[in-house]
Amino acid sequence: MSEAYTVEAILFGFLVLFGILGNIWVIFVVFQSAINSPTHRLSSSDTILVHLSVANLLTSLFRTVPIFVSDLGLEVSLSDGWCRVFMLLWVWWRAVGCWVTLALSIFHCTTLKRRHVAFGPLAQQQERRRVWIVLTVVWAANLAFSLPALFYTTHALGNATVELMVISCTTRPLLGCIWEFPTEQQGSVFASTSLALNEVLPLILMICTNLATLHALAKHIRMITAGGKAGESLGELSKHVASERKAGHVIMSLVVLFIVCWTLQVAAVTYYNHDRGHHAEGLLTVAHFSASLFEGFSPLVVALGHGKLRRKIVRMIQQGLELLKCVVFLLNDYL
């Protein structure tokens, strides 16, 4: 294994590990915060965040980890039946992660632009019900769209090369599984439709939604500043403005991460399927890393922008550091 390839494998392994631990950490912190809350229920935004983390975690465990193992040279091959099942799951979870990210952005946008916010247990229960309905539709619709994987997936024989790329970023069959369509035209139609519906469309909607959110945030900040003239103290005014600007920074971080990662994915897959020039391998490698980057960092970006979750995460980090110091101190005494 060359030195450059070793560095690439180590970096990719770090992203895979960080993605798995990061998503598990976010899920743990969100549920622990819900248990410690007076209602013992997940808030609507936390519910969406958990679904995003679960989708990304499943993708990391069952797709990204096998890719990493394959890159290390360990060849694992599935039977024809299991190839169909795993391809279905890969397409499903990848699409769900993309659409749940969009659902989180739409939720924040609609909440911010809502003129009259209803409070109370009944209003919160209705909001949670709406969120669960939307998430159920996202999971079910993407499962239905992924069903062709059960019919157009097969086991590759020998040293095959991927002829048609849908969601993968590697030219080698993942776990020996490849797409096989009756005709090249049908394959191109499915790949183009999958790319348009599960990556290009959410990308465009994500940009529009977050631009609307940032516009609403700017308008809200101006209203808060104007409200300060009506008797609000300078300290309260500064606190409100700082909170709104922090929300804007989180939104910008998430949308930039989403746009960069998914644009690279769309560009790499499209270029490979229609050209396969000498730049295809490089583009696929970059998209390979960007997909893992998004799966690992997107839930953490949202969690760190959430006041309660951020404080919980910081407290857990501090406790972990204190525990590490105690372990080091005991080891020094023992040695």
Side-chain angles (χ1 to χ4, degrees):
M1 184 180 292
S2 66
E3 183 177 349
Y5 190 80
T6 303
V7 173
E8 179 181 315
I10 292 174
L11 179 58
F12 183 62
F14 170 77
L15 289 177
V16 172
L17 179 63
F18 190 86
I20 294 173
L21 295 180
N23 284 289
I24 292 175
W25 196 8
V26 169
I27 294 171
F28 173 76
V29 171
V30 169
F31 275 105
Q32 192 175 52
S33 298
I35 292 172
N36 296 332
S37 67
T39 60
H40 303 294
R41 291 177 177 271
L42 290 173
S43 66
S44 297
S45 59
D46 288 347
T47 300
I48 303 175
L49 180 57
V50 167
H51 279 259
L52 173 61
S53 297
V54 168
N56 287 346
L57 178 61
L58 290 172
T59 303
S60 296
L61 288 174
F62 291 94
R63 180 173 174 269
T64 313
V65 169
I67 291 176
F68 174 63
V69 171
S70 177
D71 288 343
L72 292 179
L74 180 61
E75 294 297 333
V76 180
S77 183
L78 298 176
S79 64
D80 186 68
W82 280 112
C83 275
R84 297 174 188 273
V85 173
F86 269 73
M87 190 68 79
L88 168 69
L89 296 177
W90 293 333
V91 176
W92 184 28
W93 294 333
R94 178 68 178 273
V96 167
C98 189
W99 281 100
V100 172
T101 305
L102 176 62
L104 184 63
S105 296
I106 293 176
F107 174 80
H108 287 157
C109 182
T110 54
T111 301
L112 186 63
K113 298 183 72 173
R114 197 180 304 163
R115 293 181 179 273
H116 302 287
V117 180
F119 296 97
L122 182 59
Q124 293 179 356
Q125 183 179 1
Q126 291 175 345
E127 184 180 73
R128 283 195 294 267
R129 186 182 296 114
R130 287 193 296 268
V131 167
W132 273 103
I133 290 173
V134 171
L135 291 173
T136 301
V137 171
V138 168
W139 283 90
N142 282 289
L143 175 60
F145 182 80
S146 306
L147 288 178
L150 292 176
F151 307 99
Y152 300 122
T153 303
T154 187
H155 172 75
L157 299 175
N159 296 324
T161 302
V162 173
E163 297 294 333
L164 182 68
M165 192 168 293
V166 179
I167 63 167
S168 183
C169 292
T170 174
T171 56
R172 289 174 296 174
L174 180 55
L175 299 183
C177 305
I178 59 172
W179 292 90
E180 186 178 59
F181 293 90
T183 63
E184 184 178 349
Q185 184 179 7
Q186 290 182 2
S188 298
V189 169
F190 180 81
S192 300
T193 304
S194 176
L195 199 67
L197 289 181
N198 290 327
E199 299 189 23
V200 176
L201 181 58
L203 181 63
I204 295 173
L205 293 176
M206 183 82 168
I207 295 173
C208 296
T209 301
N210 283 279
L211 286 176
T213 303
L214 292 175
H215 179 266
L217 274 174
K219 184 178 179 181
H220 198 198
I221 289 175
R222 288 195 297 269
M223 290 175 61
I224 292 174
T225 305
K229 299 177 182 178
E232 189 175 16
S233 67
L234 182 61
E236 293 175 343
L237 177 63
S238 300
K239 184 178 179 179
H240 281 307
V241 173
S243 177
E244 298 297 335
R245 286 177 176 168
K246 186 180 295 183
H249 293 158
V250 173
I251 292 169
M252 283 301 299
S253 300
L254 182 63
V255 72
V256 167
L257 183 64
F258 187 90
I259 291 173
V260 170
C261 294
W262 251 248
T263 300
L264 289 171
Q265 174 75 16
V266 171
V269 172
T270 303
Y271 184 78
Y272 181 85
N273 285 340
H274 294 88
D275 191 290
R276 298 186 195 177
H278 61 282
H279 297 295
E281 194 69 33
L283 276 174
L284 289 173
T285 300
V286 174
H288 192 47
F289 277 88
S290 68
S292 301
L293 189 69
F294 181 81
E295 291 165 6
F297 281 84
S298 58
L300 280 178
V301 169
V302 179
L304 291 174
H306 193 301
K308 292 181 180 180
L309 296 182
R310 182 176 62 253
R311 288 191 293 271
K312 188 74 175 178
I313 291 174
V314 170
R315 189 158 52 246
M316 290 177 64
I317 293 176
Q318 292 174 345
Q319 292 173 353
L321 291 176
E322 290 176 0
L323 179 62
L324 182 61
K325 289 180 181 179
C326 292
V327 172
V328 172
F329 180 77
L330 291 174
L331 287 176
N332 288 334
D333 286 347
Y334 179 76
L335 296 175

